[in-house]
Amino acid sequence: MKIAVIKEQKEGEGRVAATPENVQKMVDAGNEVLVEKDAGVGAGFSNEEFEQAGGKLVSHEEGWQADLIIKVKEPDPEEYKYFSKGKIVWGFQHLASSKPTVEAMMKAGTTAIGGETIVKDGKLELLAPMSAIAGRRSVIMGAYYLEAQHKGQGVLLPGIPDVGIKAGNVVIFGGGNAAVNAAQMALGLGCSVVIIELKDERIKELEKEFAGQNVRVVKSNDENLAKEIKDADVFISTILIPGAKPPKLVKESMVKTMKKGSVIVDVAIDQGGTVETIDQPTTIDDPVFVKDGIVHYAVPNQPGAVPRTATMALAAGNLKYLLEIADKGIDGAAKADPALASGINIYNGTIVNEGLGKSLDLPYEKLSL
Protein backbone atom coordinates (compact mmCIF):
# COMPACT_ATOMS: atom_id res chain seq x y z
CA MET A 1 0.00 0.00 0.00
CA LYS A 2 1.12 3.56 -0.63
CA ILE A 3 1.23 5.35 2.74
CA ALA A 4 1.98 9.02 3.35
CA VAL A 5 3.15 10.79 6.49
CA ILE A 6 1.74 14.30 6.19
CA LYS A 7 3.08 17.47 7.82
CA GLU A 8 0.57 19.02 10.22
CA GLN A 9 -1.02 22.33 9.25
CA LYS A 10 -2.50 23.32 12.62
CA GLU A 11 -0.80 26.34 14.18
CA GLY A 12 1.79 25.36 16.76
CA GLU A 13 1.48 21.62 16.02
CA GLY A 14 4.91 19.98 15.98
CA ARG A 15 3.93 16.32 16.24
CA VAL A 16 4.27 13.89 13.35
CA ALA A 17 2.26 10.69 12.90
CA ALA A 18 5.23 8.34 12.46
CA THR A 19 8.84 8.15 13.59
CA PRO A 20 11.65 7.09 11.24
CA GLU A 21 11.64 3.74 13.05
CA ASN A 22 7.97 3.27 12.19
CA VAL A 23 8.60 4.23 8.58
CA GLN A 24 11.31 1.57 8.44
CA LYS A 25 8.89 -1.06 9.73
CA MET A 26 6.22 -0.08 7.20
CA VAL A 27 8.75 -0.20 4.37
CA ASP A 28 10.06 -3.58 5.56
CA ALA A 29 6.47 -4.86 5.40
CA GLY A 30 6.44 -4.14 1.67
CA ASN A 31 4.79 -0.71 1.61
CA GLU A 32 5.80 2.43 -0.25
CA VAL A 33 6.05 5.21 2.34
CA LEU A 34 6.00 8.85 1.34
CA VAL A 35 7.07 11.46 3.88
CA GLU A 36 6.25 15.11 3.39
CA LYS A 37 9.37 17.25 3.56
CA ASP A 38 9.95 18.63 7.09
CA ALA A 39 7.05 16.62 8.50
CA GLY A 40 9.11 15.55 11.48
CA VAL A 41 11.23 18.63 12.10
CA GLY A 42 9.00 19.93 14.90
CA ALA A 43 9.42 16.66 16.78
CA GLY A 44 13.17 16.53 16.25
CA PHE A 45 13.24 14.08 13.31
CA SER A 46 15.18 15.20 10.24
CA ASN A 47 14.37 14.58 6.58
CA GLU A 48 17.58 12.54 6.35
CA GLU A 49 16.43 10.19 9.11
CA PHE A 50 13.21 9.44 7.24
CA GLU A 51 15.11 8.88 4.00
CA GLN A 52 17.54 6.53 5.71
CA ALA A 53 14.52 4.59 7.00
CA GLY A 54 13.32 4.07 3.43
CA GLY A 55 10.83 6.92 3.17
CA LYS A 56 10.58 9.01 0.02
CA LEU A 57 10.49 12.78 0.58
CA VAL A 58 7.61 14.45 -1.26
CA SER A 59 5.62 17.67 -1.37
CA HIS A 60 2.36 18.18 0.51
CA GLU A 61 0.30 17.64 -2.63
CA GLU A 62 2.23 14.52 -3.63
CA GLY A 63 1.76 13.02 -0.20
CA TRP A 64 -2.00 13.39 -0.39
CA GLN A 65 -2.07 11.13 -3.47
CA ALA A 66 -1.36 8.08 -1.28
CA ASP A 67 -3.97 5.47 -0.35
CA LEU A 68 -3.49 5.80 3.41
CA ILE A 69 -2.88 9.25 4.86
CA ILE A 70 -1.49 9.27 8.38
CA LYS A 71 -1.74 12.48 10.36
CA VAL A 72 -1.90 13.60 13.96
CA LYS A 73 -4.82 16.04 13.83
CA GLU A 74 -7.85 16.56 11.61
CA PRO A 75 -7.32 17.79 8.03
CA ASP A 76 -7.15 21.52 7.41
CA PRO A 77 -9.91 23.06 5.23
CA GLU A 78 -7.32 23.61 2.50
CA GLU A 79 -6.80 19.84 2.42
CA TYR A 80 -10.44 18.96 1.68
CA LYS A 81 -9.66 19.13 -2.04
CA TYR A 82 -7.50 16.02 -1.65
CA PHE A 83 -10.33 13.85 -0.29
CA SER A 84 -11.42 11.11 -2.70
CA LYS A 85 -13.38 7.88 -2.75
CA GLY A 86 -11.58 5.06 -1.00
CA LYS A 87 -8.88 7.26 0.51
CA ILE A 88 -8.22 6.51 4.18
CA VAL A 89 -7.33 9.35 6.55
CA TRP A 90 -5.91 8.39 9.95
CA GLY A 91 -5.43 10.72 12.91
CA PHE A 92 -6.81 12.12 16.16
CA GLN A 93 -9.59 13.84 14.27
CA HIS A 94 -12.26 14.81 16.83
CA LEU A 95 -14.70 15.21 13.97
CA ALA A 96 -17.66 16.12 16.19
CA SER A 97 -16.19 19.61 16.45
CA SER A 98 -15.86 20.07 12.67
CA LYS A 99 -19.01 19.54 10.64
CA PRO A 100 -17.43 21.01 7.47
CA THR A 101 -14.70 18.34 7.58
CA VAL A 102 -17.27 15.58 7.98
CA GLU A 103 -19.45 16.89 5.16
CA ALA A 104 -16.42 17.16 2.85
CA MET A 105 -15.44 13.57 3.62
CA MET A 106 -18.99 12.37 3.06
CA LYS A 107 -19.19 14.14 -0.28
CA ALA A 108 -15.86 12.68 -1.44
CA GLY A 109 -16.48 9.13 -0.20
CA THR A 110 -13.46 9.19 2.10
CA THR A 111 -12.85 6.88 5.07
CA ALA A 112 -11.83 8.52 8.35
CA ILE A 113 -10.28 6.66 11.27
CA GLY A 114 -10.14 8.51 14.58
CA GLY A 115 -7.49 7.23 16.95
CA GLU A 116 -9.37 8.91 19.78
CA THR A 117 -12.33 6.53 19.36
CA ILE A 118 -10.39 3.25 19.24
CA VAL A 119 -11.54 1.16 22.19
CA LYS A 120 -9.67 -1.94 23.32
CA ASP A 121 -10.60 -3.85 26.46
CA GLY A 122 -12.94 -1.04 27.41
CA LYS A 123 -10.25 1.65 27.24
CA LEU A 124 -9.40 4.41 24.77
CA GLU A 125 -6.09 2.78 23.93
CA LEU A 126 -4.50 5.37 21.65
CA LEU A 127 -5.94 8.41 23.37
CA ALA A 128 -4.58 7.38 26.78
CA PRO A 129 -0.99 8.68 26.38
CA MET A 130 -2.22 11.94 24.82
CA SER A 131 -4.69 12.34 27.69
CA ALA A 132 -1.87 11.73 30.15
CA ILE A 133 0.19 14.50 28.55
CA ALA A 134 -2.77 16.89 28.45
CA GLY A 135 -3.73 16.16 32.05
CA ARG A 136 -0.22 16.68 33.39
CA ARG A 137 0.39 19.75 31.28
CA SER A 138 -2.93 21.31 32.35
CA VAL A 139 -1.66 21.67 35.90
CA ILE A 140 1.60 23.19 34.65
CA MET A 141 -0.32 25.66 32.49
CA GLY A 142 -2.73 26.43 35.31
CA ALA A 143 0.17 27.25 37.62
CA TYR A 144 1.82 29.42 34.96
CA TYR A 145 -1.29 31.44 34.09
CA LEU A 146 -2.04 32.14 37.74
CA GLU A 147 0.88 34.55 37.57
CA ALA A 148 0.09 38.26 37.60
CA GLN A 149 1.57 39.05 34.18
CA HIS A 150 -1.17 36.89 32.63
CA LYS A 151 -3.90 38.64 34.69
CA GLY A 152 -3.96 35.70 37.05
CA GLN A 153 -4.34 35.95 40.81
CA GLY A 154 -0.63 36.45 41.28
CA VAL A 155 -0.26 33.39 43.47
CA LEU A 156 2.21 30.52 43.45
CA LEU A 157 0.15 27.35 43.05
CA PRO A 158 2.48 25.15 45.18
CA GLY A 159 2.51 27.78 47.93
CA ILE A 160 5.39 27.94 50.44
CA PRO A 161 4.46 25.50 53.22
CA ASP A 162 7.56 26.32 55.31
CA VAL A 163 6.27 29.83 55.95
CA GLY A 164 2.62 28.89 56.24
CA ILE A 165 1.51 29.73 52.69
CA LYS A 166 -0.70 26.87 51.59
CA ALA A 167 -0.75 25.42 48.10
CA GLY A 168 -3.76 26.15 45.92
CA ASN A 169 -6.91 24.21 45.14
CA VAL A 170 -7.19 22.24 41.90
CA VAL A 171 -10.67 21.08 40.91
CA ILE A 172 -10.87 18.46 38.17
CA PHE A 173 -14.12 17.79 36.31
CA GLY A 174 -14.23 14.16 35.18
CA GLY A 175 -12.43 11.10 36.49
CA GLY A 176 -10.73 9.51 33.49
CA ASN A 177 -7.12 9.19 32.45
CA ALA A 178 -6.49 12.91 31.94
CA ALA A 179 -8.02 13.63 35.34
CA VAL A 180 -5.88 11.07 37.14
CA ASN A 181 -2.72 12.48 35.58
CA ALA A 182 -3.76 16.03 36.44
CA ALA A 183 -4.45 14.94 40.03
CA GLN A 184 -1.04 13.28 40.31
CA MET A 185 0.70 16.44 39.10
CA ALA A 186 -1.33 18.67 41.40
CA LEU A 187 -0.58 16.44 44.38
CA GLY A 188 3.10 16.58 43.49
CA LEU A 189 2.89 20.36 43.88
CA GLY A 190 1.23 19.95 47.25
CA CYS A 191 -2.20 21.11 46.13
CA SER A 192 -5.58 20.17 47.51
CA VAL A 193 -7.43 18.25 44.81
CA VAL A 194 -11.12 17.69 44.15
CA ILE A 195 -12.24 15.26 41.44
CA ILE A 196 -15.86 15.52 40.28
CA GLU A 197 -17.00 12.21 38.76
CA LEU A 198 -20.39 10.91 37.66
CA LYS A 199 -20.16 7.12 37.84
CA ASP A 200 -20.40 5.54 41.30
CA GLU A 201 -18.11 2.66 40.37
CA ARG A 202 -15.45 5.03 39.12
CA ILE A 203 -15.78 7.16 42.28
CA LYS A 204 -14.91 4.10 44.36
CA GLU A 205 -11.92 3.35 42.13
CA LEU A 206 -10.62 6.90 42.46
CA GLU A 207 -11.12 6.91 46.23
CA LYS A 208 -9.09 3.72 46.44
CA GLU A 209 -6.36 5.02 44.12
CA PHE A 210 -5.93 8.26 46.06
CA ALA A 211 -6.58 6.91 49.55
CA GLY A 212 -4.61 8.77 52.20
CA GLN A 213 -3.81 11.66 49.89
CA ASN A 214 -5.19 15.19 49.78
CA VAL A 215 -7.94 14.30 47.33
CA ARG A 216 -11.72 14.46 47.65
CA VAL A 217 -13.86 12.67 45.08
CA VAL A 218 -17.39 14.01 44.82
CA LYS A 219 -20.44 13.00 42.82
CA SER A 220 -20.94 14.95 39.62
CA ASN A 221 -24.12 17.04 39.63
CA ASP A 222 -24.92 20.70 39.11
CA GLU A 223 -24.99 21.44 42.82
CA ASN A 224 -21.56 19.97 43.56
CA LEU A 225 -20.03 21.46 40.42
CA ALA A 226 -21.31 24.93 41.35
CA LYS A 227 -20.05 24.52 44.92
CA GLU A 228 -16.55 23.25 44.13
CA ILE A 229 -15.74 25.60 41.28
CA LYS A 230 -16.00 28.62 43.62
CA ASP A 231 -12.93 27.53 45.56
CA ALA A 232 -10.80 26.49 42.58
CA ASP A 233 -7.56 28.28 41.82
CA VAL A 234 -7.27 26.03 38.78
CA PHE A 235 -10.32 24.30 37.29
CA ILE A 236 -9.58 21.55 34.76
CA SER A 237 -12.38 20.07 32.65
CA THR A 238 -11.55 16.64 31.22
CA ILE A 239 -15.00 15.48 30.09
CA LEU A 240 -14.84 13.53 26.82
CA ILE A 241 -17.56 11.54 25.07
CA PRO A 242 -15.79 9.43 22.41
CA GLY A 243 -16.85 10.53 18.94
CA ALA A 244 -19.46 12.97 20.25
CA LYS A 245 -19.63 16.61 21.25
CA PRO A 246 -20.18 17.02 25.01
CA PRO A 247 -22.78 19.41 26.47
CA LYS A 248 -21.73 22.73 28.00
CA LEU A 249 -22.04 21.58 31.60
CA VAL A 250 -19.96 24.36 33.15
CA LYS A 251 -22.31 27.33 32.92
CA GLU A 252 -21.24 30.96 32.72
CA SER A 253 -23.11 31.61 35.96
CA MET A 254 -20.74 29.11 37.65
CA VAL A 255 -17.66 30.67 36.08
CA LYS A 256 -18.68 34.10 37.39
CA THR A 257 -18.53 32.79 40.97
CA MET A 258 -14.86 31.83 40.66
CA LYS A 259 -12.12 33.88 42.27
CA LYS A 260 -10.93 36.63 39.93
CA GLY A 261 -7.68 35.63 38.28
CA SER A 262 -8.22 31.91 38.68
CA VAL A 263 -7.64 29.67 35.67
CA ILE A 264 -9.83 27.32 33.62
CA VAL A 265 -8.21 24.67 31.42
CA ASP A 266 -10.52 22.71 29.11
CA VAL A 267 -8.64 19.59 28.11
CA ALA A 268 -11.37 18.31 25.78
CA ILE A 269 -11.87 21.53 23.80
CA ASP A 270 -10.80 19.67 20.64
CA GLN A 271 -14.11 17.78 20.89
CA GLY A 272 -16.12 20.94 21.66
CA GLY A 273 -15.44 21.32 25.37
CA THR A 274 -17.77 21.64 28.36
CA VAL A 275 -17.24 25.25 29.45
CA GLU A 276 -19.91 27.71 28.34
CA THR A 277 -17.54 30.69 28.43
CA ILE A 278 -15.26 29.05 25.85
CA ASP A 279 -16.93 29.46 22.47
CA GLN A 280 -13.87 28.71 20.36
CA PRO A 281 -10.47 27.08 20.83
CA THR A 282 -7.22 28.98 21.26
CA THR A 283 -3.77 28.04 19.95
CA ILE A 284 -0.41 27.04 21.40
CA ASP A 285 0.98 30.39 20.20
CA ASP A 286 -1.94 32.41 21.62
CA PRO A 287 -3.36 30.12 24.31
CA VAL A 288 -5.46 32.20 26.69
CA PHE A 289 -8.14 34.84 26.97
CA VAL A 290 -9.75 36.52 29.96
CA LYS A 291 -13.52 36.50 30.40
CA ASP A 292 -15.49 37.38 33.51
CA GLY A 293 -12.12 37.97 35.17
CA ILE A 294 -11.09 34.34 34.68
CA VAL A 295 -8.11 33.22 32.58
CA HIS A 296 -9.28 30.61 30.04
CA TYR A 297 -6.84 28.16 28.48
CA ALA A 298 -8.47 26.38 25.53
CA VAL A 299 -5.74 24.82 23.39
CA PRO A 300 -7.14 21.78 21.51
CA ASN A 301 -3.78 20.12 20.83
CA GLN A 302 -1.92 20.43 24.11
CA PRO A 303 0.40 17.48 23.40
CA GLY A 304 1.57 19.38 20.32
CA ALA A 305 3.53 21.65 22.65
CA VAL A 306 5.73 18.70 23.62
CA PRO A 307 5.99 17.12 20.17
CA ARG A 308 8.97 14.86 20.77
CA THR A 309 7.40 13.08 23.75
CA ALA A 310 3.95 13.03 22.16
CA THR A 311 5.16 11.72 18.80
CA MET A 312 7.00 8.79 20.35
CA ALA A 313 3.93 7.90 22.40
CA LEU A 314 1.37 8.11 19.61
CA ALA A 315 3.60 6.47 17.00
CA ALA A 316 4.12 3.46 19.25
CA GLY A 317 0.36 2.95 19.48
CA ASN A 318 -0.47 3.64 15.84
CA LEU A 319 1.93 1.23 14.20
CA LYS A 320 0.18 -2.11 14.64
CA TYR A 321 -3.08 -0.73 13.24
CA LEU A 322 -1.36 0.90 10.26
CA LEU A 323 0.40 -2.37 9.45
CA GLU A 324 -2.92 -4.25 9.68
CA ILE A 325 -4.57 -1.85 7.24
CA ALA A 326 -1.64 -2.01 4.83
CA ASP A 327 -1.61 -5.81 4.93
CA LYS A 328 -5.32 -6.61 4.78
CA GLY A 329 -6.94 -3.42 3.49
CA ILE A 330 -9.38 -1.49 5.62
CA ASP A 331 -12.18 -4.04 5.21
CA GLY A 332 -10.10 -7.08 6.11
CA ALA A 333 -8.29 -5.32 8.95
CA ALA A 334 -11.50 -4.02 10.51
CA LYS A 335 -13.18 -7.43 10.25
CA ALA A 336 -10.24 -9.05 11.99
CA ASP A 337 -9.82 -6.42 14.71
CA PRO A 338 -12.86 -4.98 16.54
CA ALA A 339 -10.67 -2.32 18.15
CA LEU A 340 -9.69 -0.97 14.75
CA ALA A 341 -13.31 -1.12 13.61
CA SER A 342 -14.29 1.03 16.61
CA GLY A 343 -12.02 3.76 15.27
CA ILE A 344 -13.78 4.06 11.91
CA ASN A 345 -15.88 7.21 12.08
CA ILE A 346 -16.66 7.56 8.38
CA TYR A 347 -16.58 4.63 5.94
CA ASN A 348 -16.52 5.45 2.23
CA GLY A 349 -18.41 8.67 2.91
CA THR A 350 -20.97 7.23 5.34
CA ILE A 351 -20.91 8.13 9.04
CA VAL A 352 -20.68 4.90 11.03
CA ASN A 353 -20.10 6.36 14.49
CA GLU A 354 -23.40 6.95 16.26
CA GLY A 355 -22.06 9.65 18.57
CA LEU A 356 -20.64 11.59 15.63
CA GLY A 357 -23.87 11.41 13.63
CA LYS A 358 -26.03 12.49 16.57
CA SER A 359 -23.67 15.33 17.54
CA LEU A 360 -23.78 16.84 14.07
CA ASP A 361 -27.39 15.88 13.30
CA LEU A 362 -26.25 13.95 10.24
CA PRO A 363 -27.40 10.50 9.05
CA TYR A 364 -25.39 7.53 10.25
CA GLU A 365 -25.41 3.77 9.80
CA LYS A 366 -23.93 0.80 11.61
CA LEU A 367 -20.59 -0.24 10.11
CA SER A 368 -21.17 -3.12 7.71
CA LEU A 369 -18.18 -4.77 6.04
Side-chain angles (χ1 to χ4, degrees):
M1 181 175 283
K2 183 180 288 188
I3 305 169
V5 181
I6 299 295
K7 182 176 172 61
E8 297 301 312
Q9 302 298 298
K10 184 179 286 290
E11 186 176 353
E13 180 57 74
R15 289 175 290 178
V16 62
T19 62
E21 181 181 0
N22 282 13
V23 168
Q24 178 75 64
K25 290 178 179 178
M26 288 187 282
V27 170
D28 288 347
N31 301 291
E32 179 183 1
V33 182
L34 311 179
V35 180
E36 183 177 345
K37 185 180 178 182
D38 295 336
V41 170
F45 299 109
S46 68
N47 290 329
E48 290 73 24
E49 287 178 279
F50 282 110
E51 284 186 306
Q52 290 168 6
K56 178 184 177 183
L57 292 183
V58 297
S59 67
H60 188 66
E61 183 175 0
E62 289 172 326
W64 269 97
Q65 305 312 307
D67 307 305
L68 172 59
I69 304 296
I70 57 175
K71 297 182 83 283
V72 177
K73 295 296 291 180
E74 70 283 351
D76 187 82
E78 293 183 2
E79 295 174 313
Y80 296 173
K81 62 187 176 184
Y82 300 123
F83 295 166
S84 61
K85 187 171 180 59
K87 188 179 296 294
I88 305 166
V89 181
W90 170 286
F92 291 99
Q93 309 207 47
H94 297 282
L95 293 172
S97 64
S98 182
K99 192 171 185 177
T101 305
V102 172
E103 291 177 330
M105 288 179 164
M106 293 174 70
K107 183 177 180 181
T110 295
T111 293
I113 303 174
E116 74 281 0
T117 65
I118 289 181
V119 178
K120 185 174 183 179
D121 299 327
K123 297 180 179 179
L124 295 168
E125 181 187 31
L126 298 189
L127 191 62
M130 298 303 106
S131 296
I133 292 170
R136 289 172 176 268
R137 194 171 177 276
S138 290
V139 177
I140 297 170
M141 292 297 97
Y144 180 66
Y145 285 103
L146 278 173
E147 295 178 359
Q149 70 268 28
H150 308 300
K151 299 186 179 178
Q153 293 180 50
V155 302
L156 184 67
L157 186 60
I160 311 176
D162 289 348
V163 296
I165 300 175
K166 293 182 178 179
N169 299 316
V170 176
V171 177
I172 304 167
F173 190 26
N177 190 47
V180 168
N181 278 273
Q184 291 170 344
M185 281 294 291
L187 288 170
L189 294 177
C191 299
S192 298
V193 177
V194 177
I195 301 175
I196 304 173
E197 166 59 31
L198 178 63
K199 298 178 181 177
D200 292 334
E201 182 179 352
R202 182 58 178 161
I203 289 173
K204 292 178 182 178
E205 293 173 351
L206 291 167
E207 288 176 336
K208 182 178 180 180
E209 180 167 355
F210 292 106
Q213 301 181 69
N214 193 9
V215 177
R216 285 190 298 116
V217 186
V218 302
K219 179 75 172 180
S220 181
N221 55 47
D222 287 346
E223 181 180 357
N224 283 339
L225 179 58
K227 176 184 176 183
E228 300 297 343
I229 200 172
K230 291 179 182 179
D231 295 325
D233 295 298
V234 177
F235 178 84
I236 301 172
S237 180
T238 68
I239 301 296
L240 175 71
I241 303 173
K245 193 172 184 178
K248 297 289 186 179
L249 299 171
V250 183
K251 304 300 182 184
E252 184 168 8
S253 58
M254 298 177 185
V255 174
K256 287 181 175 179
T257 69
M258 295 178 71
K259 293 176 285 188
K260 299 303 179 186
S262 53
V263 179
I264 291 176
V265 181
D266 196 339
V267 171
I269 187 62
D270 45 8
Q271 196 78 356
T274 58
V275 182
E276 196 170 55
T277 46
I278 300 177
D279 53 12
Q280 61 182 13
T282 58
T283 66
I284 289 173
D285 292 336
D286 188 15
V288 297
F289 63 89
V290 179
K291 187 172 184 179
D292 296 324
I294 309 303
V295 181
H296 293 67
Y297 183 96
V299 174
N301 57 324
Q302 277 208 58
V306 286
R308 181 78 176 187
T309 298
T311 291
M312 290 189 290
L314 70 86
N318 287 353
L319 182 62
K320 63 180 178 182
Y321 295 111
L322 298 174
L323 289 174
E324 286 179 9
I325 295 169
D327 180 43
K328 302 174 184 175
I330 185 61
D331 289 9
K335 285 179 182 178
D337 189 343
L340 176 58
S342 70
I344 301 176
N345 286 213
I346 301 173
Y347 177 71
N348 290 337
T350 299
I351 295 175
V352 292
N353 180 291
E354 181 179 357
L356 177 60
K358 287 183 174 179
S359 291
L360 300 181
D361 195 25
L362 290 171
Y364 61 91
E365 299 177 7
K366 185 177 180 179
L367 179 62
S368 179
L369 298 169

